Amino acid sequence: VNNTSVICVVTTVYGPAPDSRVEFFSTDWEPIEKEDLFTPVTSDWFIRDDVEKNDAYLDALSMLDMELIRYQLSPDALTLTAEYSYTLYLCSGQREKVSQYIKADPHVYSWGKYHLK
């Protein structure tokens, strides 16, 4: 960006499940607005599009009362992966009800010329 490298820092806290914050800096450690570089994923992205939105669906999604998303930088590629952490704060019965409505794959951002997409 503007002929300088960008440093991406991911800070993750654990409790009750992993939740991350993503920040960007110049090589002089000057903050860069993250909105200029990527759009954070929301929990809505992880909901499957092809499900019937009936009472069972609404009941299952009501259990997802926290938006906990874990971001992870790849050590081998210019990617940032977002995983929905719901499985780590729901009990097994709740996970079973919810999992059928959640996408199996994480959201993966790839570094483009000027931003993550």
Side-chain angles (χ1 to χ4, degrees):
V1 175
N2 297 331
N3 294 323
T4 187
S5 296
V6 173
I7 299 167
C8 179
V9 176
V10 177
T11 305
T12 303
V13 295
Y14 292 85
D19 189 39
S20 300
R21 179 179 69 213
V22 178
E23 298 174 284
F24 297 95
F25 299 91
S26 71
T27 53
D28 294 327
W29 290 103
E30 294 294 325
I32 300 172
E33 292 293 324
K34 71 179 170 188
E35 292 79 14
D36 294 341
L37 298 176
F38 95 120
T39 302
V41 70
T42 65
S43 57
D44 292 339
W45 184 90
F46 294 97
I47 307 299
R48 290 181 34 209
D49 298 324
D50 62 345
V51 297
E52 184 180 338
K53 296 182 168 111
N54 55 23
D55 288 341
Y57 166 84
L58 294 174
D59 181 52
L61 289 193
S62 72
M63 296 177 210
L64 299 174
D65 59 351
M66 288 189 270
E67 189 164 285
L68 301 174
I69 298 173
R70 177 180 177 225
Y71 286 93
Q72 189 170 6
L73 290 166
S74 169
D76 303 318
L78 294 175
T79 60
L80 176 69
T81 301
E83 298 175 296
Y84 196 19
S85 302
Y86 78 95
T87 59
L88 299 171
Y89 79 89
L90 297 178
C91 69
S92 62
Q94 290 172 321
R95 273 194 307 273
E96 192 173 306
K97 288 180 181 179
V98 170
S99 64
Q100 63 186 313
Y101 302 108
I102 305 296
K103 294 176 184 175
D105 296 324
H107 186 283
V108 179
Y109 295 89
S110 297
W111 186 255
K113 190 169 184 177
Y114 301 108
H115 58 83
L116 287 165
K117 52 185 175 164

